[in-house]
Amino acid sequence: MKKVNLLFLTIIIISLNLSIASAQDCSKLEKLSKEYAECNANIVKKKISTKINDGKEKFNKSKFKETLIKFKNSKNHKEFMEKIKNDS
């Protein structure tokens, strides 16, 4: 029974350490080091990728996307204007 409790306690401690290590804290590193630059770059990449995905979702839901597709599929300006008039 003691071995099971000890094993269970060890697993909990290891899982807590892994979750703490996964959270990046760049303030503990020297500001002129390579690791500090990599840490900040990873944080910025995560933030930017979420904003880009949000922007793509908004664009896909917008009416502008439909108009852009019609423009790309038309051969000239006259054909494009006819498509818009027919849809309205």
Side-chain angles (χ1 to χ4, degrees):
M1 187 67 180
K2 288 183 180 182
K3 289 182 181 180
V4 172
N5 288 341
L6 183 62
L7 180 65
F8 184 70
L9 182 63
T10 306
I11 292 173
I12 290 175
I13 291 173
I14 290 173
S15 65
L16 289 175
N17 285 340
L18 292 176
S19 65
I20 291 172
S22 65
Q24 293 183 348
D25 185 20
C26 299
S27 63
K28 294 179 181 178
L29 302 171
E30 290 184 33
K31 293 199 177 200
L32 296 177
S33 68
K34 179 177 77 171
E35 291 83 15
Y36 182 79
E38 288 177 1
C39 180
N40 281 332
N42 290 333
I43 292 172
V44 170
K45 282 180 188 177
K46 289 177 186 176
K47 288 180 183 178
I48 288 175
S49 65
T50 56
K51 289 185 179 184
I52 288 174
N53 290 335
D54 292 342
K56 286 181 181 179
E57 289 177 14
K58 288 179 184 178
F59 178 74
N60 288 334
K61 293 178 183 176
S62 69
K63 191 173 180 180
F64 179 69
K65 180 183 176 186
E66 297 171 8
T67 308
L68 184 63
I69 290 173
K70 289 177 191 173
F71 178 73
K72 289 174 94 176
N73 291 335
S74 63
K75 293 181 182 177
N76 54 27
H77 186 266
K78 183 178 178 182
E79 184 180 326
F80 172 65
M81 294 307 289
E82 288 174 0
K83 285 182 182 181
I84 291 177
K85 286 180 185 178
N86 292 336
D87 290 339
S88 297

